[in-house]
Amino acid sequence: MAIREELRSGCFWRGVLAEAAATLIFVGVVLGASAAPGPLAPALARGLAAGALACSLGAPQANPALTLALLCTRKLGALRGAAGLLAQCAGALLAAAAARLALPDDAGLVTRVSAAGTAGQALGWEIFATFQLALAAFAAADWPAPQGGLALGSAVAAGALAAGPFSGGSMNPARSLGPAVVTGIWDDHWVYWLGPVLGAVLAGLCHELLFAAGASRERLGA
Amino acid sequence: MAIREELRSGCFWRGVLAEAAATLIFVGVVLGASAAPGPLAPALARGLAAGALACSLGAPQANPALTLALLCTRKLGALRGAAGLLAQCAGALLAAAAARLALPDDAGLVTRVSAAGTAGQALGWEIFATFQLALAAFAAADWPAPQGGLALGSAVAAGALAAGPFSGGSMNPARSLGPAVVTGIWDDHWVYWLGPVLGAVLAGLCHELLFAAGASRERLGA
Amino acid sequence: MAIREELRSGCFWRGVLAEAAATLIFVGVVLGASAAPGPLAPALARGLAAGALACSLGAPQANPALTLALLCTRKLGALRGAAGLLAQCAGALLAAAAARLALPDDAGLVTRVSAAGTAGQALGWEIFATFQLALAAFAAADWPAPQGGLALGSAVAAGALAAGPFSGGSMNPARSLGPAVVTGIWDDHWVYWLGPVLGAVLAGLCHELLFAAGASRERLGA
Amino acid sequence: MAIREELRSGCFWRGVLAEAAATLIFVGVVLGASAAPGPLAPALARGLAAGALACSLGAPQANPALTLALLCTRKLGALRGAAGLLAQCAGALLAAAAARLALPDDAGLVTRVSAAGTAGQALGWEIFATFQLALAAFAAADWPAPQGGLALGSAVAAGALAAGPFSGGSMNPARSLGPAVVTGIWDDHWVYWLGPVLGAVLAGLCHELLFAAGASRERLGA
């Protein structure tokens, strides 16, 4: 049976492990850099880490929103996608637990809606930032690693700079889930799942239907 | 007839749509990042977004000044150029309208002439910054996407860092038009059309006549 | 005899000299940039210098932790590795001595554990930051210089942004050794040897056993 | 006669014009970005502009120190080198004169020795920063434009971040000459010629004799 075979293949488990390791590294870098004052250091750290990971770990998604978008556009099998999602959440939890031990103060870990704005505005920014990030991720999938990583890292940093003041610029449900579990602060947590997933799925559909070379309705067809 | 055929082709409308989407994303990122204090975050966000878009959307111009420069150097047909211009303005308007809803305060959206300087000085900086940006854009057109996007993004960020304190470093009439329409603030708006268009057209002519490999007067000839 | 031959080859000494020169330049840039306020300038300078050196000096490690990881994974001969380690320490000492003469105040040279944290927390951050850096360095070894340098520089800057507030983000024992010798401040110096070396060796093993294309236990076998 | 022929060739004059245009753009971007507070904006603007220019204008040096180093290593003819130097100085003067008109206050234009240090210390930093920049420039000459520009831009930004607090991080005599002529402030101006030229020539010799693929004493021989 296909599923049993897939579960026995080294390649499958290696990819799942890479997802866990990449999300652990990504979330660890973001949480460490969030201790710096100002919006620039966390945004750049996020982009640089995403770019480097795309090169060093064989282009993992490290982001549940991207994985769901790949599932929706039928670029990833259901089993591999589900295992990847679990691995990402486990990696993010581990990173958040470690960061809580390693940080003097855990208030800055959680992504929050800006006090000057509403949850709806933060949702809008998360959708927008993840939309442009996922467009770059879908396009980057066609290039060899270091160049695709460059485009991806740029989009991650640009989105974090744009959405940062309003929603924390998460663009990644795993990055928001880890700290929420560890600190028990779940305020507006739905924003960080709904926004990125909507944005990424929308971008995946736009890429397949409109922007990809050879885009057409058939690419999504049964 | 050629025009009717062009209007029926999917490629034509896909390109126009990419222009609208790219300008929407670019202006959205710039307006979001402008909420951060200091000149660094908006300038870097601009460059990173431009670099990522050059990779993810098939190298759109996302900038009326660049589109006009391509028209002047006969690298773009009149119909495609006009449709692109309209799409860019529509994308920028949409982004500005959305940003106004999503931002607690809309005073920072508009590009303004620095209080310490004159409109003439701002005009000079816009011409200069767009000149070097358009030189890079013309040269980047000869490379595959991720590498051309790197050069373009660098030039956008460098120009924004240089001109930022004096004119806001717009280098893009659409980026200035959107917020002006939405907020109704039209002070010195002509600077942000005249400067970028002059700079980009000048750069296009310089590139074709002087700096391109095989540059000559014939390249512009009838 | 193989050792005598190696010691006579120009290529051997050229590589050792490149290690010394690269470490001298890297440590000099880091120490100079550390005089700026805020965490961003030193972190970016570190990444940019590492990226540029990877391009200009034929991909030296410039980092004792990376050299030890290459020795552990049998990618470097024992003689070449030992000579490289000595050259790196000599380059870092020279850079620190020169920086002490050139700087008005030498308090900022030494990497220190943050006052708000413990040595154990700093050790954890050094292990983590060097782990992700070394993963990128091992992967980058498979690409031509400018693209590998990009991935390496991104990882160096990301790690420095993440670990900077807690341990100074050294990730490089030579960078910490030079200023310690020159200023005589040896507080918690062991953190900056144990952390990076553990992180880099762990990353080397993970890369060879798990993440490399064709990874397997045989790659490390006798 | 060879000289007369060279003076008649379009390629010669095109190269000289590219030097003037590139230095004008580089110095203009640096002077504009110097108006921002903090050391980060000017340093990044410098690196981004250098990277973009390496791509858009056919890899000009835009730096008298680099041109002199190329002359010393016999990679550039005497006539072409001398014309390039004059063009660079003319471009820098033009940029400085324009910047003086466009800036409300011209005190920030000039590169100065830090008040906390001596001219000797500034000289040391200029030699060091230009040494590593020129090493990258010599290595980058072997790659196609966008990738070489990346290495060059990284080295320029790294050097400016390192030397910035002590000497202004000029690394370019033309960048220092223009503002000195325009404002009449010549304090310690010799530092900005001696330092970069020494550093660049030293780097050129090191590259040819030691670090280049196939380096040997013969490469410099008559």
Side-chain angles (χ1 to χ4, degrees), chain B residues 35 70 77 90 92-93 97-98 102 110-111 116 138 150 163 172 174 183-184 187 189 197 205-206 216 219:
Chain B
L70 288 173
L93 278 174
V110 185
T111 43
F138 271 79
L150 180 66
N172 189 331
T183 62
D187 303 352
H189 188 70
V197 171
L205 296 177
C206 284
S216 74
R219 285 185 70 153

Side-chain angles (χ1 to χ4, degrees), chain C residues 1 5 19 23 25 67 73-74 78 83 97 108 125-126 168 177-178 180 190:
Chain C
M1 208 182 132
E5 253 174 53
E19 287 292 344
T23 316
I25 291 175
T67 305
T73 52
R74 307 194 176 208
W125 281 108
E126 286 293 328
L177 177 71
W190 59 275

Side-chain angles (χ1 to χ4, degrees), chain C:
Chain C
M1 208 182 132
I3 289 182
R4 196 169 297 173
E5 253 174 53
E6 208 173 356
L7 286 177
R8 278 196 192 143
S9 90
C11 180
F12 178 87
W13 290 109
R14 210 168 281 163
V16 172
L17 194 66
E19 287 292 344
T23 316
L24 191 151
I25 291 175
F26 180 74
V27 174
V29 168
V30 172
L31 295 182
S34 298
L40 212 54
L44 291 180
R46 209 165 296 204
L48 291 163
L53 286 170
C55 300
S56 60
L57 285 171
Q61 294 107 38
N63 188 339
L66 288 180
T67 305
L68 287 168
L70 288 173
L71 280 170
C72 284
T73 52
R74 307 194 176 208
K75 299 202 150 191
L76 203 66
L79 188 67
R80 178 65 181 72
L85 284 174
L86 286 179
Q88 287 160 2
C89 292
L93 278 174
L94 209 61
R100 213 197 173 186
L101 289 178
L103 286 174
D105 158 37
D106 61 4
L109 297 181
V110 185
T111 44
R112 283 169 207 267
V113 172
S114 149
T118 66
Q121 290 178 340
L123 181 68
W125 281 108
E126 286 293 328
I127 294 176
F128 169 71
T130 318
F131 178 77
Q132 61 91 29
L133 159 59
L135 267 189
F138 271 80
D142 298 341
W143 293 316
Q147 301 175 2
L150 181 65
L152 188 68
S154 298
V156 170
L161 283 170
F166 312 109
S167 68
S170 169
M171 300 178 287
N172 188 332
R175 180 259 176 273
S176 293
L177 177 71
V181 169
V182 167
T183 62
I185 302 173
W186 292 90
D187 304 351
D188 301 309
H189 188 70
W190 59 275
V191 165
Y192 300 101
W193 281 88
L194 189 60
V197 171
L198 266 184
V201 169
L202 206 64
L205 295 176
C206 284
H207 183 262
E208 295 297 293
L209 289 172
L210 293 169
F211 298 126
S216 76
R217 219 181 296 173
E218 277 75 42
R219 285 185 69 155
L220 295 175

Side-chain angles (χ1 to χ4, degrees), chain D residues 140-151:
Chain D
D142 298 341
W143 293 315
Q147 300 176 2
L150 181 64

Side-chain angles (χ1 to χ4, degrees), chain A residues 48-72:
Chain A
L48 291 163
L53 287 170
C55 299
S56 60
L57 285 171
Q61 294 105 38
N63 188 338
L66 287 181
T67 305
L68 287 168
L70 288 173
L71 280 170
C72 285

